Amino acid sequence: MRILVWCWGRRGGGPRYTLEIARALSRIPSLEVHLSLSRQAEIYDEVRALNLPVFDVDTFSGLYSGILKTLCFQKTAAARLIQYLEKEGIDIVLCTMGHVWSGLIAKNIRSNRRRYIYTVHDASPHNGDAHIGWKWILESNLKCADGVLVLSNYVREELIRRYNYPGHRIWVTSHGPLKINRHATCPVPLPTQPRRLLFFGRILPYKGLSLLVDSFNLIADRHDLQLFVVGGGNPGKEKSRLSTHPRIFFDNRWIPENELASVFNTADIVVLPYLEASQSGVIAIAYGLGLPVIVTPVGGLQEQVINGKTGMIADEITPESFAEALAALCTDTSLYCRCCQGARQLGDHEKEWNQIADTTANIFGDVFSMSAFSGAVTSNRIENIKTQA
């Protein structure tokens, strides 16, 4: 079976996830794995080092180049991709993350012999993360997909509820650990050293920075804590508190791939005080490094964390509850060591991704055994949305 793993995103978790799933799938003898990616991807050279057949495209990096290249898209990249699929006899296209161009070409991917599987990371945009075309990209791909992959049961239920998407066409796989280099694997902090907390990623309203700072203030001095807030975005009214707090270190910029290791090497615990969530690639990075996490009880985060074994799930979405979880993990050495061990087990990179690849290969078989268009959701069904995304 010939598979094309497709992601045209340039940076962030999408290309990294694509690299890992392609690497794992390529270990399965019955699969011939091809890749399609952007030449502008931050980890382009790392993906090419897999030595898999690649169809790459030049994407865009700004508004004006985006408009210009999108106007020419159907006659350039789109046409070349379809030609590649036909020439190489691709049986299944797996899109690992949506792109504005995937919405334009999705209707041309499927054929009488070729299936299309689309990975949905979010069933609705998060607060602060919506953009023009977000909903259209999702709907365009759902209309054309023979099946959908999701990374949490939470997203599966949201797709069914919001879009009336048939549940038997949705498959759930886990988000495997994302591996970056680390100097040491989750050492137990010395009693004389501050416990170092890390909030990492894009700064958006749904990430709960205000809740984090409030909870941190409740216990930081008492338990000798430091907080590193690292990521691009507008912190809004929290900027002053983040910039002036003596125990908070604020690095407000996009962090390139080659700096990720140095960022996570500062951490003892990774914190996710989110107000909503589908799942998190930050947790996948933490587990890949053997770092425990603390999360709020929202969305798919609860599915990724084993409470008391890989980290802590706060009882409520309040500063007091989050502070209580923080204090427990920072003061109980046996609990901390147990969570480090649990995180390392889930971060067993090769084992976890091999299991995900085996599951995904079985899904390929299920989808490919269906008649050409039996799995697709009709345009009328998608347009009859129960709840606005």
Side-chain angles (χ1 to χ4, degrees):
M1 188 179 293
R2 294 181 177 182
I3 311 299
L4 179 82
V5 182
W6 173 28
C7 176
W8 284 349
R10 294 184 299 112
R11 59 186 191 176
R16 175 65 60 183
Y17 174 86
T18 303
L19 166 69
E20 301 297 354
I21 190 63
R23 190 202 320 268
L25 288 171
S26 68
R27 300 189 188 112
I28 299 177
S30 60
L31 300 181
E32 179 182 311
V33 178
H34 297 237
L35 275 165
S36 183
L37 67 155
S38 166
R39 291 189 186 94
Q40 286 71 44
E42 275 191 310
I43 61 171
Y44 179 79
D45 292 339
E46 192 174 348
V47 177
R48 288 302 302 260
L50 295 177
N51 292 320
L52 298 174
V54 173
F55 173 83
D56 48 21
V57 300
D58 286 307
T59 53
F60 51 87
S61 57
L63 177 62
Y64 295 112
S65 66
I67 293 173
L68 179 61
K69 290 190 175 183
T70 299
L71 291 174
C72 303
F73 172 72
Q74 294 288 0
K75 293 183 179 180
T76 55
R80 291 195 302 112
L81 176 61
I82 299 305
Q83 291 172 1
Y84 183 89
L85 298 178
E86 294 293 336
K87 177 183 176 182
E88 299 297 331
I90 300 298
D91 299 302
I92 288 184
V93 174
L94 170 64
C95 181
T96 57
M97 179 168 277
H99 183 275
V100 62
W101 288 353
S102 69
L104 294 173
I105 198 176
K107 63 181 181 296
N108 302 119
I109 295 294
R110 293 164 58 241
S111 70
N112 288 333
R113 64 173 304 278
R114 187 169 54 244
R115 310 291 185 264
Y116 180 42
I117 301 175
Y118 183 65
T119 305
V120 177
H121 293 257
D122 303 301
S124 60
H126 301 298
N127 183 16
D129 201 24
H131 58 78
I132 296 175
W134 191 100
K135 185 165 169 278
W136 172 80
I137 293 171
L138 176 60
E139 291 182 13
S140 298
N141 283 280
L142 289 181
K143 289 176 185 178
C144 302
D146 293 283
V148 167
L149 287 186
V150 295
L151 305 179
S152 67
N153 284 294
Y154 173 79
V155 174
R156 179 183 186 276
E157 296 306 314
E158 285 289 284
L159 278 179
I160 295 171
R161 182 176 69 86
R162 290 178 177 271
Y163 289 89
N164 198 27
Y165 200 90
H168 65 284
R169 300 298 182 190
I170 305 174
W171 287 267
V172 182
T173 63
S174 59
H175 193 315
L178 300 180
K179 189 175 183 180
I180 60 175
N181 293 325
R182 179 175 167 83
H183 299 325
T185 303
C186 201
V188 178
L190 297 174
T192 57
Q193 292 180 334
R195 269 51 169 180
R196 299 162 299 180
L197 314 177
L198 173 64
F199 172 99
F200 175 79
R202 292 183 303 154
I203 295 175
L204 294 166
Y206 81 93
K207 296 288 185 74
L209 262 183
S210 178
L211 184 152
L212 175 60
V213 176
D214 287 344
S215 64
F216 183 75
N217 282 336
L218 291 174
I219 60 172
D221 291 334
R222 189 191 330 156
H223 297 301
D224 194 16
L225 305 182
Q226 292 179 343
L227 172 62
F228 294 79
V229 176
V230 183
N234 182 8
K237 65 181 182 180
E238 298 305 317
K239 183 175 183 179
S240 176
R241 291 208 290 172
L242 293 169
S243 302
T244 60
H245 197 294
R247 288 182 172 272
I248 296 178
F249 303 87
F250 184 33
D251 190 355
N252 189 203
R253 63 190 174 93
W254 177 269
I255 306 301
E257 287 280 331
N258 60 5
E259 294 185 32
L260 286 179
S262 62
V263 169
F264 279 83
N265 275 322
T266 66
D268 299 310
I269 299 168
V270 177
V271 293
L272 295 88
Y274 296 0
L275 307 180
E276 56 171 297
S278 302
Q279 64 276 314
S280 174
V282 175
I283 295 177
I285 296 175
Y287 286 168
L289 300 170
L291 284 169
V293 301
I294 300 176
V295 303
T296 43
V298 297
L301 298 188
Q302 303 170 91
E303 300 174 39
Q304 287 182 276
V305 180
I306 305 174
N307 197 30
K309 294 185 178 180
T310 65
M312 300 294 291
I313 303 173
D315 291 334
E316 299 175 337
I317 313 171
T318 64
E320 294 77 13
S321 184
F322 202 80
E324 184 179 346
L326 274 173
L329 199 54
C330 289
T331 60
D332 187 334
T333 301
S334 62
L335 173 64
Y336 181 81
C337 291
R338 184 166 66 250
C339 289
C340 283
Q341 179 62 28
R344 280 196 293 269
Q345 289 176 354
L346 287 186
D348 186 333
H349 188 267
E350 185 169 342
K351 176 183 175 183
E352 292 297 319
W353 279 106
N354 283 344
Q355 290 177 349
I356 293 169
D358 288 342
T359 299
T360 306
N362 289 333
I363 293 169
F364 292 158
D366 292 342
V367 172
F368 198 71
S369 66
M370 300 172 186
S371 59
F373 298 103
S374 64
V377 180
T378 65
S379 299
N380 289 337
R381 275 192 90 172
I382 289 297
E383 289 166 359
N384 183 25
I385 299 172
K386 286 185 174 181
T387 308
Q388 291 297 319

